[in-house]
Structure formats: structure tokens, C-alpha cells
Amino acid sequence: MVFVFVFILSVNPTFSTTTVSTEIFYPFGSAAGDKSNPVDDDGSSSVIHLLSPFLFFGRTYQQIYVNNNGHLTFNKPSSLYTPYSFPANRSQDIIAGLWTNLNNRMGGVISYQQYTNGSVLTRASQDINTHFPNLTFNASWVFVATWGKVETSFQVVLISDVNFSFILINYGDIAVTEHQVQAGYDTVNSTDYFVIPGSNNGSFISNLRNSSNVNDTGRWAFRVDSGQHNISKGKRFLDIQWCEKVLAPFLISYFFACLSHFNVSDHQTNLNISKDNTSEHNMQFLNEGFYY
Ligand SMILES: *[C@@H]1O[C@H](CO)[C@@H](O)[C@H](O)[C@H]1NC(C)=O
Ligand SMILES: *[C@@H]1O[C@H](CO)[C@@H](O)[C@H](O)[C@H]1NC(C)=O
Ligand SMILES: *[C@@H]1O[C@H](CO)[C@@H](O)[C@H](O)[C@H]1NC(C)=O
Ligand SMILES: *[C@@H]1O[C@H](CO)[C@@H](O)[C@H](O)[C@H]1NC(C)=O
Ligand SMILES: *[C@@H]1O[C@H](CO)[C@@H](O)[C@H](O)[C@H]1NC(C)=O
Ligand SMILES: *[C@@H]1O[C@H](CO)[C@@H](O)[C@H](O)[C@H]1NC(C)=O
Ligand SMILES: *[C@@H]1O[C@H](CO)[C@@H](O)[C@H](O)[C@H]1NC(C)=O
Ligand SMILES: *[C@@H]1O[C@H](CO)[C@@H](O)[C@H](O)[C@H]1NC(C)=O
Ligand SMILES: *[C@@H]1O[C@H](CO)[C@@H](O)[C@H](O)[C@H]1NC(C)=O
Ligand SMILES: *[C@@H]1O[C@H](CO)[C@@H](O)[C@H](O)[C@H]1NC(C)=O
Ligand SMILES: *[C@@H]1O[C@H](CO)[C@@H](O)[C@H](O)[C@H]1NC(C)=O
Ligand SMILES: *[C@@H]1O[C@H](CO)[C@@H](O)[C@H](O)[C@H]1NC(C)=O
């Protein structure tokens, strides 16, 4: 019970005045040598041929598209500005940093770059070894896609050593929007998917910069190489959805009160939540779960 109180106290204003910095952001923009997407509402990059194959839940991709509306696709570009909800059980793998109606004609830069050497690889290796201990991971390829002040600022970073692959999503200032939103990832037939809690309501998405599943404010990190999960994860997702309904309109405190009814463990496999009727609150949640 003591931990429960610590947790509630941690949601006080003092805690959340921590300056949100872009320290979690990897280098981006023209200064970093990025290529920029065309200025085009609902546009996309042209096909980007990957310098190293990227393994995504059992499928190996050699190419990717950076779509202006905040998401990445592999087989073809996407102009969709209204996200579908995950799990969608569609025939597409998709990574949604923040899939919503974004228009770079109104300002901002959408840019990307891939790295196969240098300090960005070192940094990515350190980050993955911090977020996923004991893998002794050594990155050989990093892909950074950044939406810089396209109303909103965030980054999707793909990291690979060929056998293992990871995604980092870094959130900066995220503008409230009336458009539909979705952040996370979904796969072919939704055998694997993840919705970042609180990311599917535009009224609340500014909170993305304050949340994390790896104790690094504003960052969500996922291992995405193999299909370790299957559709049974849907049950766990529904539990989170239920929390999201309960939490409104006091997002943070209600959300945690709700989530504390579940066990959250194993951040190496992203989120492993099981309903726990026997203990109302548990510590695993604090140790390995969400951080605000
Ligand atoms: C998120 O962080 C910002 C800036 O640090 C702060 O103004 C805001 O109140 C925080 N939101 C929550 C829900 O803690
Ligand atoms: C997904 O769609 C297929 C048909 O394409 C259907 O057979 C299957 O039951 C659906 N799965 C879920 C979880 O809805
Ligand atoms: C570093 O990677 C870039 C491409 O990302 C490549 O053009 C360059 O040749 C590489 N340099 C070395 C020393 O491998
Ligand atoms: C990492 O390895 C050490 C030593 O083998 C072990 O004590 C620790 O629990 C491991 N950490 C994780 C997160 O598996
Ligand atoms: C990581 O791999 C690079 C080659 O890609 C190598 O030069 C470096 O020594 C490796 N680092 C570690 C810690 O294994
Ligand atoms: C990837 O896995 C293969 C087969 O297990 C292994 O031979 C290879 O060394 C691994 N590569 C890296 C970078 O870990
Ligand atoms: C997705 O579901 C369809 C219809 O059930 C099936 O034909 C296809 O093989 C599945 N694809 C994958 C990658 O599981
Ligand atoms: C979270 O990070 C902070 C500082 O970055 C550190 O002091 C704290 O021990 C970390 N908490 C856990 C549970 O790792
Ligand atoms: C899904 O996972 C469960 C438990 O890990 C396993 O028993 C089941 O066979 C899996 N189903 C599929 C279709 O992989
Ligand atoms: C977002 O949350 C607000 C406040 O709870 C609610 O009024 C609104 O309908 C929600 N929007 C969506 C798209 O769910
Ligand atoms: C979820 O966690 C439980 C308990 O820690 C563990 O037994 C199970 O294997 C995990 N499942 C997955 C899919 O990681
Ligand atoms: C939830 O966590 C508590 C405390 O760590 C543990 O005793 C309980 O067995 C867990 N329940 C499930 C369903 O994993």
C-alpha cells in the first residue's frame, strides 16, 4: 500500500513541472543532414531503400515510407490522415509515431536519415542497452524520422543489429487536436500491436511528452523483431482501453488508479499486462511499468 501512495504523490504538479527537453531526440533536420519530405498535405517521402534489412515481427523489410500524417509504412506510401484504430486486423504493418492530420504546408519539417556508422549508432546502442538490459546490443543501423514543429514535434527511431530490432518514439511538444489520433504500431492481421495509453484522444495527446514505458520521459521503446505475442494480447489491450475510458476526464490520476488493477511487467516484450484480481495494487507496475 505504501507504494500506492508514493505513486499517487508522484502525480502531483511539482513532479510534472520537470522541463520537457528535446534531449531524448536524436539529431534531426537539415543541420543533421536529413532529407526532407515534400511540402505536400497528405504527402509522403519517396521510397527509402534501407541500408540494412529491418525485421518487424517476423517480416523483413528493405524499404520504408515516411508519411506526412505521422506514420511509417513499408510496402506503399499512405496519404491517410484519419487513423484507423489498432488492432485493425488489416494486411499492413504500420508504425504510428502520431498518426493524425498533419500538414507541413502550414509549417514545420518532416525529415529522415539512416545511419550505419558514427555516434548515432553508439547512442542507439547505449539507449537500447539501458532500456532493454542484458542484451549486449550493438546497433548496426539506425533510421530517424522526425516531424519537427509540424504543429507538433516527435520522432520515430528504428534501431537494428539485423537480428534484433527496436523502435523508439520520442515526443516533444504535442499540440492538442480535434482530429482523430493514434500512436503505437499494428501488424498484418494485428498479431502484434500496441496503442500508447492516452494516445487515441486528441484532447489528451499533449501528455505524451510526459509519459514513458522506460522511465525516460517522453519516450516509448519497443522491441519489434519477432512475433512473440499473438492475438491473445487483445485481451490485455481491452483492459487498457477500459482504463482509458474510466480515466476521462482526469487523465493521469484516473488512468493510474485504473491501471493499478493490472500487473504490468516485462518491458522487454513491451507490455505484458494480466488482470490480477488478487492484488489490487502491485509494485511490478512501478518498477517496470509506466512512468510519469
Ligand atoms: C506535462 O509536462 C508539461 C511541461 O512540463 C506540464 O506543463 C504539464 O502539466 C504536464 N502534464 C501532466 C498531465 O503532467
Ligand atoms: C481478422 O480478419 C480475418 C479475415 O480477414 C478473420 O478471419 C479473423 O477472424 C479476424 N480476426 C479478428 C481478431 O477479428
Ligand atoms: C558511414 O555511413 C554513410 C552512410 O550512412 C556512408 O556513406 C559512409 O561511407 C560511412 N562511412 C564509413 C567510414 O563507413
Ligand atoms: C541482468 O543480468 C544480471 C546478472 O546476470 C541479473 O542479476 C539481472 O537480474 C539481469 N537483469 C535483467 C533485467 O534481466
Ligand atoms: C559494435 O560493432 C562495431 C562494428 O559494427 C564494432 O566496431 C564495435 O566494436 C562493436 N562494439 C561492441 C561494444 O561490441
Ligand atoms: C544474428 O543471428 C545469427 C544466427 O543466429 C548469428 O550467426 C549472427 O551472429 C547474429 N548477428 C548479430 C549481429 O548478432
Ligand atoms: C492474415 O490473415 C489472412 C486471412 O485470415 C491469411 O490468409 C494470411 O495468411 C494472414 N497473414 C499473416 C501474415 O498472418
Ligand atoms: C528513473 O529515472 C530516474 C532518473 O532518470 C532515476 O533516478 C530513477 O531511479 C529511475 N527509476 C527506476 C525505477 O529505474
Ligand atoms: C498464442 O499464445 C498462447 C500462449 O503463449 C499459445 O498457447 C498459443 O498457441 C498461441 N497461438 C498462436 C496462434 O500462436
Ligand atoms: C476525448 O475525451 C473527451 C473528454 O473525456 C471527450 O469529451 C471526447 O469525446 C473524447 N474524444 C474522443 C475522440 O474520444
Ligand atoms: C507475461 O508475464 C508472465 C508473468 O511474468 C509470464 O509468465 C509470461 O510468459 C509473459 N508473457 C509474455 C507474452 O511475455
Ligand atoms: C501480480 O503481481 C503480484 C505482486 O508482484 C503477484 O503476487 C501476482 O501473482 C501477480 N499476478 C499475476 C496475475 O501475474
Side-chain angles (χ1 to χ4, degrees):
M1 286 305 282
V2 170
F3 280 83
V4 173
F5 287 113
V6 168
F7 149 69
I8 289 166
L9 287 173
S10 73
V11 185
N12 70 22
T14 315
F15 186 83
S16 51
T17 53
T18 314
T19 314
V20 175
S21 65
T22 47
E23 278 167 26
I24 54 170
F25 275 51
Y26 280 48
F28 67 94
S30 54
D34 282 6
K35 279 188 180 155
S36 295
N37 271 17
V39 177
D40 179 14
D41 192 16
D42 306 330
S44 292
S45 66
S46 49
V47 61
I48 301 162
H49 297 286
L50 306 184
L51 297 172
S52 173
F54 185 69
L55 183 59
F56 190 69
F57 294 106
R59 283 172 290 282
T60 300
Y61 289 105
Q62 312 275 359
Q63 62 176 51
I64 201 164
Y65 295 86
V66 175
N67 304 301
N68 286 1
N69 289 314
H71 56 288
L72 306 177
T73 45
F74 296 100
N75 291 329
K76 55 181 190 207
S78 162
S79 59
L80 285 182
Y81 55 85
T82 302
Y84 52 73
S85 294
F86 305 160
N89 194 21
R90 297 202 181 194
S91 58
Q92 171 168 264
D93 286 329
I94 186 163
I95 300 169
L98 187 62
W99 185 6
T100 188
N101 193 352
L102 298 172
N103 185 356
N104 63 354
R105 284 179 197 246
M106 307 296 284
V109 175
I110 300 161
S111 67
Y112 60 88
Q113 179 166 190
Q114 47 187 329
Y115 300 88
T116 53
N117 54 45
S119 59
V120 169
L121 287 196
T122 310
R123 180 172 175 183
S125 301
Q126 284 169 353
D127 282 346
I128 295 308
N129 287 315
T130 302
H131 301 324
F132 302 86
N134 292 6
L135 290 180
T136 57
F137 179 78
N138 190 10
S140 57
W141 176 82
V142 175
F143 179 83
V144 181
T146 307
W147 284 254
K149 296 190 174 170
V150 190
E151 295 171 54
T152 255
S153 297
F154 61 94
Q155 209 169 45
V156 179
V157 182
L158 311 187
I159 299 170
S160 165
D161 75 348
V162 180
N163 292 339
F164 290 148
S165 46
F166 299 89
I167 315 173
L168 307 180
I169 309 182
N170 297 323
Y171 293 102
D173 286 336
I174 306 293
V176 165
T177 178
E178 290 176 359
H179 297 294
Q180 286 181 45
V181 290
Q182 185 84 168
Y185 58 81
D186 197 10
T187 60
V188 177
N189 294 353
S190 297
T191 46
D192 294 87
Y193 59 88
F194 189 88
V195 178
I196 296 181
S199 74
N200 54 11
N201 186 317
S203 308
F204 295 130
I205 54 171
S206 297
N207 292 306
L208 286 173
R209 68 178 183 178
N210 298 25
S211 74
S212 176
N213 65 337
V214 290
N215 194 25
D216 201 350
T217 304
R219 171 174 291 171
W220 285 74
F222 306 103
R223 184 174 163 190
V224 296
D225 42 271
S226 77
Q228 308 164 48
H229 305 283
N230 59 28
I231 203 72
S232 66
K233 207 180 170 192
K235 173 69 173 69
R236 297 192 287 266
F237 172 78
L238 285 177
D239 291 339
I240 296 184
Q241 264 192 333
W242 181 73
C243 290
E244 288 184 342
K245 279 182 191 152
V246 170
L247 61 86
F250 302 106
L251 181 76
I252 303 302
S253 51
Y254 274 57
F255 182 51
F256 277 105
C258 179
L259 265 193
S260 65
H261 292 268
F262 304 98
N263 272 5
V264 182
S265 64
D266 194 4
H267 67 221
Q268 295 190 22
T269 50
N270 303 339
L271 255 199
N272 177 355
I273 299 175
S274 52
K275 185 95 173 84
D276 177 21
N277 291 319
T278 57
S279 82
E280 282 256 289
H281 308 282
N282 68 73
M283 278 136 246
Q284 246 177 321
F285 167 70
L286 281 171
N287 293 334
E288 298 185 74
F290 295 93
Y291 299 86
Y292 268 79

